[in-house]
Amino acid sequence: MGAGKMAEFLDFFNIYIMGVTEMVFQFYFLAKILKKKIWAPFYFLFAVCAVIVNDFIPVRTIISFVMLVFLLTVCGTFVCRADFKSSLLHAALTTEIMLLCYGVVKSLMGLLYLLIPAVFYNTTGIAVMLTSEAASLVLTGFCYYMVYRYFSCYTAAEMQQMFLVFIPILMIFIMSEYINSIEFEFQYEVLVDEGSAGYLFNHWQLFVMHFLGLVSLFCILFTYKKLQQNFRLSTELSLLEQEEYSLNQYVEEAKTRYDKTKSFRHDIKNHIVVAKRLLQSGKLEEAVSYLEDMDDMAEKMSFPCSTNNPVVDILVGNKLGIAKSMGIAVNCSLLLPYPCGLRDIDICIVLSNALDNAIQACKTIEEGIEESIYVSGCIQGDFLMIEIQNSFHGKGIFKKGTGLSNIKTVAEKYGGAMSIETRENVFILHVLLIIPK
């Protein structure tokens, strides 16, 4: 094959064959990190379109980068049906990782060519190109795996904040493009001795700069992940502190009611004597009025929900009272051991989180669906089984939040378990606790 035809073949191979391969690789990773499943031919169609568009744009330019990010963002938004901001951020991240990985490998190939040219003299151009492309794809795949493995588990709120890393990514890209503008063409021809040192120095510079750019990118992602973890932990700690404060208030209220009840029981004989004397004296109206006052006093000391635990009675009564005021049908048939080895604070954590979630779920359901919350539980041997049923929208995948995580933590603390069940528009939470002896 003549030199001209070989050059044309290498150009075709590099632009179209490897170009399509690279684009398929990028789009596959984008769909993977967005956690979307795409029909396989879409990868090839996108790759062909991207190669055709890039064929009209000068390679290794900001315009080429922007166009590729734009195409990936469009596919992420309309084909993967992902959020626009998430698609844009991951499209830029995907493209930048591939550019930096290719930069690292080509710089290394340039160094090897200058340091041990004999190896390249005995190798065809297509073999060198295949080796370079294969090494670049392997490095890119490894970086993609690391990003997917360690930096892709973010909530929707965290993804909104993750846009803070977008500017550093662009700065790294601008730096790499500036490096490419200095010199990046792979040299196949024999260099004269006077110019070899200069090329060697330039390739070392290119390798170091691209490698530092790749490391900087992962440092940004790692730092962001740590910040999000710290923020998440501080948020959960703050919620737990607020919850503990509220539960302590319930405990104090329970003690106050208990003292009032104790005082009422102490005076009940005197009240009965007064009522009896009034009836014996024929003062019927005064006796009825006195008994009504006693009934009001007893009503104030009673709990809307009787679970056999005064602290839990106040908590559940308070939560179900809120739900009832919102028009939600409520029912409670919960019986707890008292006293027992289960700490009041732990039982309250389970019930308060479960009822808060239930009330929130009832708020979001569509019209026409009955809003209801049912709390039940009983003791069987050394086991306490609690069940909370509530209405919910019944659509999509239910995500476990901080509340359910707290419930699961308490269940595991007592050697029990937590499970979730959904039936059409009914959400059921099961909590099993083993009562310590």
Side-chain angles (χ1 to χ4, degrees):
M1 186 182 292
K5 290 185 178 181
M6 175 58 76
E8 291 179 2
F9 176 76
L10 290 176
D11 286 341
F12 176 82
F13 181 83
N14 187 40
I15 295 174
Y16 295 100
I17 304 300
M18 295 311 301
V20 169
T21 304
E22 293 170 12
M23 294 303 103
V24 168
F25 205 51
Q26 279 188 269
F27 189 31
Y28 174 79
F29 171 71
L30 180 66
K32 193 76 174 176
I33 199 170
L34 291 174
K35 297 178 176 58
K36 304 293 183 179
K37 291 184 179 180
I38 306 299
W39 190 40
F42 274 119
Y43 297 116
F44 180 75
L45 290 174
F46 165 77
V48 171
C49 293
V51 169
I52 292 174
V53 171
N54 280 333
D55 196 28
F56 296 96
I57 300 173
V59 295
R60 303 196 185 284
T61 62
I62 294 180
I63 297 177
S64 175
F65 174 81
V66 171
M67 183 56 66
L68 183 55
V69 171
F70 172 75
L71 290 174
L72 284 169
T73 304
V74 170
C75 287
T77 305
F78 295 101
V79 178
C80 298
R81 300 181 182 276
D83 178 70
F84 171 76
K85 291 183 178 180
S86 299
S87 299
L88 176 60
L89 177 63
H90 287 119
L93 182 63
T94 300
T95 307
E96 183 58 27
I97 287 175
M98 178 165 279
L99 289 175
L100 290 172
C101 289
Y102 269 71
V104 168
V105 172
K106 290 187 176 180
S107 298
L108 282 175
M109 294 294 288
L111 284 171
L112 291 174
Y113 175 76
L114 294 171
L115 295 173
I116 46 176
V119 176
F120 290 84
Y121 292 156
N122 300 323
T123 309
T124 60
I126 188 67
V128 173
M129 184 174 293
L130 281 174
T131 303
S132 176
E133 292 290 341
S136 299
L137 286 176
V138 169
L139 180 59
T140 304
F142 174 75
C143 292
Y144 282 168
Y145 170 78
M146 295 299 289
V147 171
Y148 177 77
R149 178 69 175 80
Y150 296 103
F151 306 108
S152 62
C153 299
Y154 294 111
T155 63
E158 290 171 344
M159 282 303 305
Q160 297 291 332
Q161 298 171 0
M162 194 177 178
F163 235 76
L164 295 172
V165 308
F166 188 72
I167 294 177
I169 291 175
L170 288 182
M171 294 302 296
I172 293 174
F173 167 72
I174 293 171
M175 179 200 71
S176 64
E177 288 305 311
Y178 173 74
I179 296 170
N180 289 332
S181 66
I182 299 174
E183 181 183 7
F184 197 89
E185 290 301 324
F186 191 1
Q187 304 296 323
Y188 292 103
E189 57 199 46
V190 180
L191 301 172
V192 294
D193 293 336
E194 295 179 356
S196 296
Y199 279 115
L200 180 63
F201 180 70
N202 285 338
H203 280 294
W204 266 115
Q205 282 184 322
L206 292 171
F207 170 74
V208 171
M209 292 297 183
H210 281 95
F211 181 76
L212 288 177
L214 194 59
V215 171
S216 299
L217 195 61
F218 277 93
C219 286
I220 291 171
L221 294 175
F222 178 78
T223 303
Y224 178 78
K225 181 179 181 179
K226 286 297 180 183
L227 288 173
Q228 284 297 336
Q229 287 177 345
N230 292 335
F231 178 75
R232 192 183 302 123
L233 288 174
S234 63
T235 302
E236 291 180 3
L237 181 60
S238 177
L239 290 174
L240 287 174
E241 288 176 349
Q242 293 177 8
E243 194 169 79
E244 183 181 5
Y245 174 78
S246 299
L247 295 178
N248 286 332
Q249 293 293 106
Y250 291 135
V251 171
E252 292 300 322
E253 186 176 345
K255 290 179 179 178
T256 302
R257 289 203 180 201
Y258 177 78
D259 291 339
K260 289 181 178 179
T261 303
K262 186 177 180 181
S263 176
F264 180 78
R265 290 176 60 186
H266 179 269
D267 296 334
I268 190 66
K269 290 183 178 180
N270 295 328
H271 292 310
I272 293 174
V273 170
V274 172
K276 185 178 179 180
R277 293 281 176 83
L278 289 172
L279 290 172
Q280 289 175 345
S281 302
K283 299 179 180 179
L284 185 61
E285 292 184 1
E286 287 83 348
V288 171
S289 177
Y290 192 83
L291 290 173
E292 287 178 350
D293 291 339
M294 289 178 60
D295 184 57
D296 291 338
M297 291 174 61
E299 183 67 26
K300 290 178 182 179
M301 288 180 287
S302 64
F303 300 105
C305 180
S306 180
T307 66
N308 199 38
N309 184 312
V311 177
V312 178
D313 285 349
I314 294 176
L315 171 67
V316 176
N318 180 272
K319 297 293 184 182
L320 294 183
I322 294 173
K324 195 172 182 180
S325 66
M326 297 169 58
I328 302 172
V330 298
N331 188 22
C332 178
S333 59
L334 177 64
L335 182 63
L336 298 174
Y338 187 80
C340 70
L342 299 175
R343 294 180 62 204
D344 291 343
I345 190 76
D346 291 327
I347 300 176
C348 288
I349 287 175
V350 171
L351 292 172
S352 64
N353 281 287
L355 292 173
D356 284 341
N357 288 344
I359 293 171
Q360 187 63 34
C362 289
K363 284 183 181 179
T364 59
I365 62 175
E366 300 174 354
E367 294 184 2
I369 301 176
E370 182 184 1
E371 300 176 1
S372 61
I373 299 175
Y374 300 111
V375 182
S376 61
C378 61
I379 306 164
Q380 292 187 0
D382 293 333
F383 299 95
L384 171 61
M385 292 180 288
I386 301 174
E387 181 179 288
I388 295 93
Q389 295 187 26
N390 63 268
S391 308
F392 85 120
H393 52 72
K395 299 177 181 177
I397 301 174
F398 186 83
K399 297 182 179 179
K400 296 183 180 179
T402 304
L404 290 178
S405 298
N406 293 341
I407 296 173
K408 184 178 180 182
T409 301
V410 172
E412 292 174 348
K413 175 181 177 180
Y414 291 98
M418 181 197 78
S419 64
I420 293 172
E421 181 184 355
T422 56
R423 301 173 188 166
E424 295 183 354
N425 294 319
V426 178
F427 178 87
I428 306 173
L429 174 67
H430 302 277
V431 181
L432 174 65
L433 302 176
I434 300 178
I435 303 173
K437 294 183 179 179

